[in-house]
Structures are given as C-alpha cells and as structure tokens.
Amino acid sequence: MSNKLNNKQISTEISDCYLKEKQQQQDKKSFKKSNNVKMPSKLNNEITNEISNCYLKEKQQQKDQDSIKLNSKTSNEITNCYLKEKQQQKDQDSIRLNNKTSNEITNCYLIEKQKKKNEEFNEKKNGMKKSNEIMNCYLKEKRKTKKSIRSLPKDLPPLQSITPLRSWGFLQCRALGSNGEPLCCGVSGRYTQPGTHCILWQVDENDPSQLWQQSKDGHLLSILAGNYVMDFNNDGTNIVIANGWNNYLTQVWTYNSNTGQIVNSNYPNTCLGIKGAFNDPITPSNGTELVIDQPTDNNNLCFQWDLVPSYPLNTILTDPPQPFPTFPGDQNTAFIEISQYLAQVDDIRSQYTNLSVSLPFFQSQMSNMSYPSYLSHAEFDAVRDQLSTEFDYAQEIINLISNYEEFHTQLFADNSARLNQLASLCQLEIGSDSNAMGSVIQVLSGMMYTILEALPGAGPILGNVIQTAINIGVAAYDGYSSIKPDPFQVALSNLWDTLSTNFEALSSNISNMETLLLQDWGKMVTTHGLIQTLSGPNSLAWQSSTTGDLLLAAVPGYENSLLQILMPSKYQIYRYDLANNGNVGLPDDIPTSCQWNDPNNSNLTYFIADNLTTTVYPDDSLMSLIWGNGVSKQDFFLSANGWNFCMSLLNDNCSAGTPTISNNTSMAMNFKIEFSPSQIYNYDVPTHSSNFTTEFDNTAIENSYYQVTVSDIAYKWVASISVRVDIHVMRGADVSVLSSSCADGYYLGTPNCLQGSFAHSFTGAINIPIYEAS
C-alpha cells in the first residue's frame, strides 16, 4: 500500500515540475519577445540551474520509480517462483502420496486376494464354505428374538424314571493323582494287541483308548477297536483288553453307583482297582496298572470309579417333588407385597419360567424396597433373603440352558445349509427322490463321542445336559417331545425335515427340563450345587466362554454323521484281492485319497467309487474333509463306527450278490449265510463294526436265493433276512430282499441293495444295518 502511494506522489511532483518548467520557458520567451530585453547572465544561470536540477531530480525520481518497478517485478518473480516450486513440491508430495496410497491399495488388494485364495484353498480342503460370522450373527440375533418372546411350558407331568441309552464315556478313578488331577482307565500305549494292560492315565484329548461303553450284557467295550473288551490275564489279576468276546463271566462287569465299585461277575467279591492298593489307598500316577482285587475297606477310593459323563439330571429330574419354602403370617403378606411390587402378581415364583422377565432386575428392585410397618426388619429380611437366593439359583439354571440353546442353535438351526453343502460335495441333489438311510441316535451319538475325545474337560458337561434330553425323547413320555430311535429311510428331499423334527424335539425337551428344574425347590438346590462344581463327573458348570470350543469340537462329528447318511446313496466300497481277483485288474486312476491298503494283508486294496461304476470317484475336497475330521481309514473302508457301505468284490463272477452286515450295537454278533445245505458260512461281526462274505454260490446259473441269520454271542437270534439274486446275461447281479424280521431290542435298518456290473467286473452287493433299541 505504501509503495503505491509513494509512486503516485513522485509522479505528481514530476508532472508539476515539468509544467512549472514549461511555464517558465513560455514566460521567458514572452519576456524576450515583449520586452526585447536581454536577460542578465546571473539570472539566466540561475534559471538554467533550476531547470537542470529539476531535470536531474525528475530523472532520479524516474530512476527510483523504475527501480521500485524492477524490485516489485523481481519480488513478484521470486514470489511466483517460490509458489511454483511450492506447487511442484506439493504435486510431488501428492504423487508420492498417491503412489503410497496406490501401493497401499495394491498391497491391500494383494493381501486380500491372497487371503481369499487361502480361504478358497481351506474351503476346498475342508470340503465346504463356512460363513460363520454372518451365520452366527444371524443366529444369535434370531436366538435373542426368540428368547425375548419365549415362555417355558408349564404343568408338565412328573418324570417317574429315565432310562439311559448306551453311550461312550470315561472310567474315572476317585483316587486323584499327586497334583489332584483325575486319572482314567485307558489302554497302555493305545495298543490293540490282545493282552495289553489297562492302566491309569490323566485325561487326554483325542485318546480313544480312554472311552468305554457297557453293553447290555455287562461287557466293558473299548472304542479303540470294535471287538476289544475288558478282561484279566492268566495270572488272574491284571486287567487287560481281549479281542475275543465270550460268555464267560470274567468279561462281565456290574457298576454299583452307590459304592462306585465295578464288580466282576465271575468273582463277585472282587472289583476293579489300583494294583497294590487293596490294603491301603495309594496315590496313583500315569501308568499305574489296574487289577481285580478285594479291598479290605469298601471306602478305599482306589477301588471306586465314576462314569463320566454321569448324567446327574436323570436322577434330579425324577426325584420326588419338593415345594418352595412357605412363609407364615405377616411374612406371607410381605411375600405377596414383594410379588406385586416386582411383577404385579401374587406369587413371584410363577415368573421363574417366564424368560421375558429379568430376575437380576427383580433382585435389584427388591433390595430398594422399604421395610413395611407391620413386620420387623428381621422378618422382612428373611423373606427377601430367601427370594434373593431363589433368584440366584433360578438365573444359574436359565444361564445353563441358554448356553445349551446357543450351542444347539448354531449347530443345528441352519435351515439345512450344512446338509445341502455336504450333499453337494457328495454330488447329490438334495431335492431328488434318491433314498437316504440312517439313525438320529447315531447322529447324536457320533457327535458326542467326538466331543468327548476332543474336549474331555468340557465335553462331559454338555453330555450331562444333552443326553438326559435324548433319553426323555426316546422314552416318549406323555407330555414330552419324542425323538425317534428307530432307523429311517427317506427321500433326500425329505431328509432335513426328518432330522430337524428330531432336533426340535431335542430342544423342546431341554426346555421341558428347564421348567421342571425351575418349578421345584429341591431340584433347584441340587442343580445349583452342580453348577457351582467346576469339575468332576457331575459338573454342570457350563461357562459361556466354552460354548465356542464345544461347537468347534462338535462340527466334525456332526458332519461325519451326516456323511454317513448321505454317502451310501452315491458310493460303495470295492474290495480288490490280488490273490483272488479272477483276472480282473485294479483301476489305475484311483485317487490316493480314495483308497486304502490293508496293513495286515498286502494283497488287499479297498477303494470308494460310484455305486454304478469303478471309474467315478468322490471329489478330493470331500475326502479331504473326511480325513480332516479325524475319520479312521480302517473304520471308513471297513464300515465301522457308523459307516454302513455296501461292499462289492472286484471279480469276474459278477453274478454274485455279496451281503455286508453292519453291527451298530454294543453287542458282538455272528451271521450265517446259507447258499444251500452244503454251502454254509459263518462270520463274526464285532460291535460297531461290519463284516461281509467273500464266498459265492458256485452252483448258481440263474436266479438264486440265500438266507442270512444273525445272532448274538450267546447264540440268541437277532434277525433273519431272505435275499434274492437275479442273474442277467451280460449284466451284473441284481440283489433284493424278499423278507426280513428282527428280535425285540433291535432295529433292522432298510437294506441298501446295489446291482453288480458285467462291464466293470464287480459283484452285486447288499448292506444290512442293525441298531440297538433302548
């Protein structure tokens, strides 16, 4: 602003000076002309000097003005240069930022792309896509909505008794280790060699040798192998496993729940215990051997055992009813007043089964109530303290069942999504009319022993809850939801309806159990004690933080159980015997994941392929899922522990129809196949295992028949099946069932009949599954 003002002043002064000089020149000329008088030199010099000075002054001012203009121009140029450099720097920074951002975006994209590739790889490896976060969020919100409007059933009939189904569990010694750790009965080294000692060992994850099941005739069966039971060796003391079932009472045991002793039926004064502890208890450790002996004191913990899970709710729910404490006189008036204040009802206990109310809120409101004038403080506090205790106990039970509900919802209530995914992996159309066969009890049982193996600590707590609900459902008590124990055969399009109906019945019975516990003071007190018991066979201390672990452990078992239903609809097992193949070769393109070589016989190879041809195999993603879920190849290819495949023989005698008996029970069996009076063959069928014949009717040249008779190890009849084999020219044998019958206590599943193939040189086949009734 000052520069502009100075420039203007200078310009004005120069202009004035010029005009003044101009006027002086005119005056001078006028003076000369008009007067014609010569000016004095002195005056002339003075005028000249003034003009010169004025010129010089004006010249200097012009120079100054030019300098100012130059400086201003220079300053502008510097400013412009600075601004230009600044802009260039800013542009460079922007480019760098853009490059950095671009790199970050690129890196992020590459990372995300790699993540996606990893996810796709894992999905392919696992065999299915599991969008857990979205699904779990949806299911949790759905569960919250359901819970907010749900009210538990009332006026249920009392349960007189609950018959437990046979299930897998631990034999846990009541004598603890030196650090207070529980020890269980297991098989030394997990060896399946007959005569291997049974020992104590701390509870281990994924140790099948620690899981046992008692058969209906008293045998103690190890899950380690289908035909292994508890016995004792020739010295008459050491406990071992034996692979030969017999009717001798040495293999029969009785568990006394009152004393905790496992008594041998052949020597009723002896029981299972710790070696060297029959006089006085000792502190056991890993590897301590087990014997049968007669303790000098029946209170000796070294000879006492717990079955884990112990299913304490079976007893609690059938205990005689015990009403809530009553209040006399004015205390009852206070009870009604509290009830009215909290919920506008006369009996606040009626709200324990109303899940839309908040008991913690009731408790908070009750603590703020003023003392009434008609009752002493002590008497009012007695009422309030009793109700406060009841609120606490009731809320613990509600939390316990809520934890189960979350587990149940996230595992089962997916609207068939998991089933559809598995069916797709099996290359099955879930909406088709193809038949699926199985058992809901097998599904639940397979899931439970998988959980027990994976989580021996938290698994029994889940078992203590869910198994009682299953027992109630199978018994089909009046007023309770029924779970169908018998095997089913349904079209694939109806499979989910069949499963979900039973899953809903299971959930319904859990709610029924909750009602019974919340409406009875005795049941509430006992259950509270078990919820507060953090460990042990009777524990119900289900922490919400363990629900996720239980789900992770349950999913593989649940998936395996569903695949046991789905896969036989599409695939069967083929057996190739190098020593007896009838000039038939083994296909050379069998994927590694689809075959298994018998480690005990190098001539035998088993592989899985399509029911109609030996050249179509399950997708690798399906087989990866199965092996990743921990399925034993021996169990899978020999149809054990819930797998019920047909077994076809690769042989040029394709006119044969070979039967497989799948024994899904806790009883060892035998089956006899009679082609003719001169052709009779017998085969043992261990528990939870299968066996098949490799013999043919050598006399058959046209349609033939044979009879299969199944009996238990006591030679009691179990089932009979009449089979027809239709022989076609240039085609394989067509196998069908003419008639079948089954003894009480067993279910005969629908036989799966498959035709053989002349073109691919394999026999016809039939699988006959047998299940145990409650």
Side-chain angles (χ1 to χ4, degrees):
M1 183 71 182
S2 59
N3 286 340
K4 291 182 179 180
L5 181 61
N6 291 337
N7 291 341
K8 186 175 181 180
Q9 290 175 344
I10 293 171
S11 178
T12 302
E13 290 176 357
I14 293 173
S15 179
D16 292 342
C17 181
Y18 169 77
L19 293 173
K20 183 178 180 181
E21 181 180 0
K22 191 74 173 177
Q23 184 64 41
Q24 288 175 347
Q25 289 177 352
Q26 288 179 354
D27 292 342
K28 183 176 180 181
K29 290 180 179 179
S30 176
F31 176 76
K32 287 182 177 181
K33 185 176 180 180
S34 59
N35 297 302
N36 196 21
V37 179
K38 186 178 180 180
M39 294 179 64
S41 59
K42 182 177 180 181
L43 179 60
N44 189 35
N45 288 339
E46 288 177 355
I47 292 171
T48 300
N49 288 338
E50 286 180 4
I51 292 172
S52 178
N53 290 339
C54 183
Y55 169 78
L56 291 175
K57 184 177 179 181
E58 182 179 359
K59 193 73 173 177
Q60 183 61 41
Q61 288 176 342
Q62 183 67 36
K63 186 176 181 181
D64 291 341
Q65 185 178 16
D66 292 339
S67 177
I68 290 171
K69 290 180 180 178
L70 178 62
N71 290 338
S72 177
K73 180 179 179 181
T74 302
S75 176
N76 290 336
E77 290 177 352
I78 293 172
T79 301
N80 291 337
C81 181
Y82 168 78
L83 294 175
K84 184 176 181 180
E85 289 180 354
K86 193 70 175 178
Q87 184 62 40
Q88 289 175 343
Q89 183 67 34
K90 187 175 180 181
D91 293 340
Q92 290 175 352
D93 291 341
S94 177
I95 292 172
R96 292 192 189 99
L97 179 60
N98 290 337
N99 289 338
K100 182 179 179 182
T101 303
S102 177
N103 290 335
E104 289 177 350
I105 293 173
T106 301
N107 292 336
C108 182
Y109 167 78
L110 293 174
I111 290 172
E112 289 300 317
K113 187 174 182 180
Q114 185 61 40
K115 284 183 179 178
K116 186 173 181 181
K117 287 178 68 177
N118 292 339
E119 289 173 356
E120 291 174 351
F121 173 79
N122 289 332
E123 288 166 5
K124 184 175 181 181
K125 180 180 178 181
N126 293 332
M128 62 188 305
K129 185 178 181 180
K130 303 175 182 177
S131 53
N132 284 335
E133 293 181 357
I134 297 174
M135 179 61 73
N136 289 345
C137 180
Y138 165 76
L139 292 173
K140 284 182 179 179
E141 290 302 318
K142 186 176 181 181
R143 173 179 167 270
K144 288 178 182 178
T145 302
K146 181 181 178 182
K147 182 175 179 180
S148 65
I149 62 174
R150 184 173 68 97
S151 183
L152 293 175
K154 298 180 180 179
D155 302 323
L156 289 169
L159 292 171
Q160 302 299 328
S161 64
I162 298 177
T163 303
L165 298 178
R166 306 197 182 280
S167 56
W168 298 101
F170 302 99
L171 300 179
Q172 183 173 305
C173 187
R174 291 182 180 176
L176 302 178
S178 58
N179 296 320
E181 71 277 12
L183 301 170
C184 291
C185 174
V187 180
S188 180
R190 306 179 188 177
Y191 297 129
T192 56
Q193 185 70 23
T196 302
H197 283 198
C198 292
I199 61 172
L200 281 182
W201 201 269
Q202 68 186 44
V203 182
D204 272 349
E205 296 180 1
N206 301 313
D207 184 358
S209 79
Q210 293 184 335
L211 288 175
W212 301 82
Q213 182 180 124
Q214 190 167 29
S215 67
K216 63 171 60 178
D217 67 349
H219 284 79
L220 282 174
L221 167 68
S222 171
I223 203 175
L224 194 61
N227 207 32
Y228 284 70
V229 295
M230 186 179 288
D231 202 342
F232 48 88
N233 60 7
N234 294 331
D235 66 11
T237 57
N238 282 87
I239 299 299
V240 298
I241 56 170
N243 70 340
W245 285 57
N246 58 53
N247 292 319
Y248 301 141
L249 295 179
T250 57
Q251 291 185 353
V252 178
W253 306 82
T254 301
Y255 178 68
N256 187 325
S257 59
N258 294 323
T259 64
Q261 292 181 339
I262 300 176
V263 179
N264 184 265
S265 296
N266 196 58
Y267 301 101
N269 294 324
T270 65
C271 54
L272 178 67
I274 295 174
K275 189 174 184 177
F278 68 96
N279 277 328
D280 296 299
I282 65 173
T283 301
S285 60
N286 285 340
T288 298
E289 292 185 347
L290 300 177
V291 296
I292 59 166
D293 212 331
Q294 183 176 1
T296 57
D297 183 358
N298 284 333
N299 294 320
N300 188 337
L301 295 180
C302 292
F303 286 81
Q304 295 181 2
W305 302 83
D306 286 307
L307 307 183
V308 183
S310 63
Y311 314 124
L313 290 173
N314 287 358
T315 302
I316 294 173
L317 292 171
T318 55
D319 280 342
Q322 181 179 339
F324 288 97
T326 58
F327 302 104
D330 288 341
Q331 283 188 319
N332 187 59
T333 302
F335 169 75
I336 296 174
E337 184 177 322
I338 291 173
S339 300
Q340 286 288 343
Y341 179 79
L342 296 179
Q344 294 78 51
V345 295
D346 290 338
D347 184 358
I348 192 62
R349 290 160 173 164
S350 67
Q351 299 301 299
Y352 294 165
T353 57
N354 181 4
L355 299 186
S356 65
V357 303
S358 170
L359 295 181
F361 178 75
F362 281 174
Q363 196 163 36
S364 173
Q365 292 293 97
M366 184 174 63
S367 65
N368 295 327
M369 289 184 66
S370 302
Y371 288 102
S373 59
Y374 56 83
L375 200 64
S376 69
H377 289 191
E379 289 179 306
F380 185 78
D381 284 341
V383 177
R384 187 158 51 184
D385 290 346
Q386 172 63 30
L387 291 179
S388 180
T389 299
E390 292 177 17
F391 291 169
D392 286 338
Y393 291 5
Q395 189 60 50
E396 287 177 346
I397 293 171
I398 292 170
N399 291 343
L400 170 65
I401 303 304
S402 293
N403 287 335
Y404 173 79
E405 285 177 353
E406 181 173 356
F407 170 86
H408 183 102
T409 300
Q410 294 198 39
L411 185 63
F412 297 131
D414 61 357
N415 196 25
S416 77
R418 194 186 306 275
L419 178 65
N420 292 342
Q421 290 169 339
L422 292 174
S424 177
L425 285 176
C426 294
Q427 302 176 37
L428 291 168
E429 292 292 336
I430 199 64
S432 72
D433 293 331
S434 299
N435 286 330
M437 293 166 283
S439 164
V440 173
I441 300 302
Q442 285 280 105
V443 171
L444 299 173
S445 175
M447 180 194 72
M448 271 311 306
Y449 79 68
T450 302
I451 294 174
L452 290 175
E453 275 194 61
L455 294 175
I461 297 174
L462 171 62
N464 283 336
V465 176
I466 192 174
Q467 192 63 48
T468 297
I470 296 171
N471 294 340
I472 292 172
V474 170
Y477 297 111
D478 290 341
Y480 296 83
S481 298
S482 175
I483 296 175
K484 302 296 184 183
D486 50 320
F488 58 78
Q489 177 186 7
V490 297
L492 284 173
S493 56
N494 296 323
L495 178 56
W496 177 248
D497 290 340
T498 300
L499 294 174
S500 62
T501 297
N502 287 277
F503 294 155
E504 288 170 6
L506 174 61
S507 178
S508 176
N509 283 332
I510 291 287
S511 296
N512 292 336
M513 290 163 51
E514 187 175 9
T515 293
L516 294 176
L517 295 175
L518 291 173
Q519 289 182 334
D520 187 285
W521 176 236
K523 293 175 176 56
M524 187 180 285
V525 170
T526 306
T527 305
H528 157 75
L530 298 183
I531 290 174
Q532 294 299 314
T533 303
L534 299 182
S535 61
N538 296 323
S539 176
L540 294 174
W542 187 330
Q543 306 297 322
S544 59
S545 58
T546 65
T547 303
D549 294 333
L550 288 168
L551 279 167
L552 288 176
V555 167
Y558 179 43
E559 290 177 342
N560 293 342
S561 296
L562 294 179
L563 289 172
Q564 288 171 350
I565 296 172
L566 293 170
M567 291 190 72
S569 300
K570 175 71 175 178
Y571 304 104
Q572 66 174 324
I573 303 299
Y574 293 87
R575 181 180 187 268
Y576 177 77
D577 187 351
L578 183 62
N580 185 24
N581 58 17
N583 298 318
V584 174
L586 183 70
D588 55 8
D589 60 345
I590 305 172
T592 303
S593 62
C594 294
Q595 64 177 307
W596 174 69
N597 298 314
D598 191 334
N600 300 315
N601 188 337
S602 59
N603 288 325
L604 295 180
T605 297
Y606 298 84
F607 65 94
I608 184 169
D610 191 273
N611 289 334
L612 303 177
T613 174
T614 57
T615 60
V616 175
Y617 310 102
D619 189 76
D620 185 63
S621 59
L622 172 59
M623 302 311 297
S624 296
L625 173 67
I626 293 170
W627 309 138
N629 280 348
V631 174
S632 158
K633 286 196 172 184
Q634 178 170 317
D635 286 353
F636 182 83
F637 287 102
L638 296 183
S639 291
N641 286 320
W643 298 97
N644 298 309
F645 287 111
C646 285
M647 176 76 74
S648 185
L649 309 180
L650 257 65
N651 196 287
D652 54 10
N653 190 351
C654 58
S655 61
T658 56
T660 297
I661 305 298
S662 290
N663 178 11
N664 297 288
T665 79
S666 63
M667 290 290 294
M669 295 184 181
N670 173 279
F671 81 91
K672 177 179 68 174
I673 180 170
E674 184 177 353
F675 293 111
S676 68
S678 61
Q679 284 185 285
I680 300 176
Y681 305 95
N682 287 278
Y683 300 90
D684 290 329
V685 192
T687 61
H688 303 286
S689 301
S690 300
N691 207 346
F692 53 91
T693 179
T694 58
E695 304 294 337
F696 309 121
D697 184 357
N698 297 323
T699 65
I701 57 176
E702 55 184 15
N703 298 344
S704 62
Y705 307 86
Y706 61 81
Q707 184 75 17
V708 177
T709 304
V710 184
S711 59
D712 64 18
I713 59 170
Y715 308 108
K716 294 179 180 178
W717 173 75
V718 173
S720 295
I721 306 97
S722 296
V723 180
R724 171 174 173 152
V725 181
D726 292 330
I727 301 173
H728 305 282
V729 178
M730 302 301 288
R731 289 172 55 191
D734 195 359
V735 186
S736 60
V737 173
L738 292 176
S739 64
S740 63
S741 57
C742 187
D744 291 340
Y746 296 95
Y747 295 115
L748 194 62
T750 303
N752 186 16
C753 302
L754 300 178
Q755 186 173 353
S757 172
F758 179 84
H760 297 281
S761 300
F762 61 80
T763 64
I766 179 174
N767 179 278
I768 303 169
I770 299 175
Y771 301 90
E772 193 168 7
S774 57

